[in-house]
Amino acid sequence: MEAQPLHGTAQEHQGQAIHRSSSSITRGVLGMTGSGLSNQIGAGIGAHAFPVIGPAGVVAVRQFVAAAILLPVARPAFHRFTWQQWWPILLLGVATALMNICLYVAIDRIGLGLAVTLEFLGPLAVALLASRSRWDLVCGLSAGMGVYVLVMPGPSSDFVGVGIGLAAAVCWAAYILLNRVAGQRLPGLQAPAAGTLVSLVFYLPVAGYLLMQGVFTGPALLYAVAAGVLCSVIPYAADLVALRHVPAGFFGVFMSINPILAALSGTVILGQVLVLHQWVGIGMIVAANAVAIWLAGRRTGTVGPPVQAS
């Protein structure tokens, strides 16, 4: 009796396993790409509503959409929360509220591609703090050079817009850290759902004022609702699917393409054409972000910084 068939069977099993792994990664990459495209296209569409309801109005609608999706799914038991669970949720809600309004105001002032790129410095900072080595220093210096090249300071630079974009980055870093603390103290999706509700409270006066002004009608409302669906609902579902097929560290690195997708979305949807030095700056920051998250993931064996905010 020959043993050759047994070897052939083992090789077939190995080949099938490699095929399944490759197929799984492909599905994960498609999911992450779809998530990023949906998020940045949604931001571009939402910007069309700025002249009517302003960035705050778009964020208010987006928060309503996010709360309408997350709360029924997570069903947080608010009456059972202890103070040790409440305080990170309250701070998470504040960070989320500030992060979203800073991002949308920055988009309004300096454009989608630049605003999203500056915001991504938040996850980069968290990744650098998670691991210390000479490579971290290289990543930090590269990102700093990337910001300089991206902004190319001059008399016509919108330093207020740049500052607001950097404020969004600080808020995103706080969001990541607070989300980790709250997630450790609450099961499932209760923490982000509760944080979204807290964030929504800050926008209730904005929504009430705009309702009294009668501006929540026609295209502006449709643009804002579309932004809420594309920036919250679709990316949230796509990210969950993607994380079933790819390692968490790879997820964090791959989603660093968001600034590039934002720049493309800004060009196609808003007509915000970037010049060469801005593309170079975006590339430098994306590369630094990807390397830093990859290094942090290798050293800690944990997930890279979350990319999707409520």
Side-chain angles (χ1 to χ4, degrees), residues 127-143:
L128 293 179
L129 290 173
S131 59
R132 292 181 174 85
S133 72
R134 60 184 178 182
W135 286 110
D136 297 334
L137 179 60
V138 171
C139 289
L141 292 175
S142 299

Side-chain angles (χ1 to χ4, degrees), residues 121-210:
L121 294 175
L124 173 60
V126 173
L128 293 179
L129 290 173
S131 59
R132 292 181 174 85
S133 72
R134 60 184 178 182
W135 286 110
D136 297 334
L137 179 60
V138 171
C139 289
L141 292 175
S142 299
M145 292 174 59
V147 171
Y148 182 85
V149 173
L150 174 68
V151 175
M152 200 64 76
S156 61
S157 299
D158 187 343
F159 291 107
V160 174
V162 171
I164 294 173
L166 293 175
V170 173
C171 291
W172 197 359
Y175 169 89
I176 292 170
L177 299 175
L178 290 167
N179 209 9
R180 286 178 178 173
V181 174
Q184 292 171 351
R185 299 180 183 184
L186 286 169
L189 300 173
Q190 292 191 41
T196 298
L197 183 60
V198 173
S199 176
L200 177 59
V201 171
F202 290 95
Y203 290 99
L204 289 177
V206 175
Y209 174 78
L210 293 176

Side-chain angles (χ1 to χ4, degrees), residues 124 139 142-143 253 256 260 280-293:
L124 173 60
C139 289
S142 299
V253 173
S256 294
I260 297 176
V280 172
I282 288 175
M284 293 174 66
I285 294 172
V286 168
N289 200 351
V291 171
I293 294 174

Side-chain angles (χ1 to χ4, degrees), residues 23-48:
S23 177
S24 181
I25 291 176
T26 299
R27 287 195 294 269
V29 168
L30 290 175
M32 290 184 293
T33 303
S35 171
L37 283 172
S38 179
N39 200 12
Q40 304 311 329
I41 290 173
I45 291 174
H48 284 296

Side-chain angles (χ1 to χ4, degrees), residues 80-153:
R80 296 180 181 175
F81 288 2
T82 65
W83 175 244
Q84 291 299 312
Q85 295 169 326
W86 264 120
W87 74 259
I89 288 175
L90 294 174
L91 293 178
L92 178 63
V94 173
T96 302
L98 292 174
M99 174 179 65
N100 287 333
I101 190 60
C102 286
L103 174 62
Y104 276 72
V105 171
I107 291 173
D108 191 32
R109 296 186 65 103
I110 61 176
L112 182 58
L114 275 67
V116 171
T117 303
L118 291 175
E119 188 193 32
F120 255 73
L121 294 175
L124 173 60
V126 173
L128 293 179
L129 290 173
S131 59
R132 292 181 174 85
S133 72
R134 60 184 178 182
W135 286 110
D136 297 334
L137 179 60
V138 171
C139 289
L141 292 175
S142 299
M145 292 174 59
V147 171
Y148 182 85
V149 173
L150 174 68
V151 175
M152 200 64 76

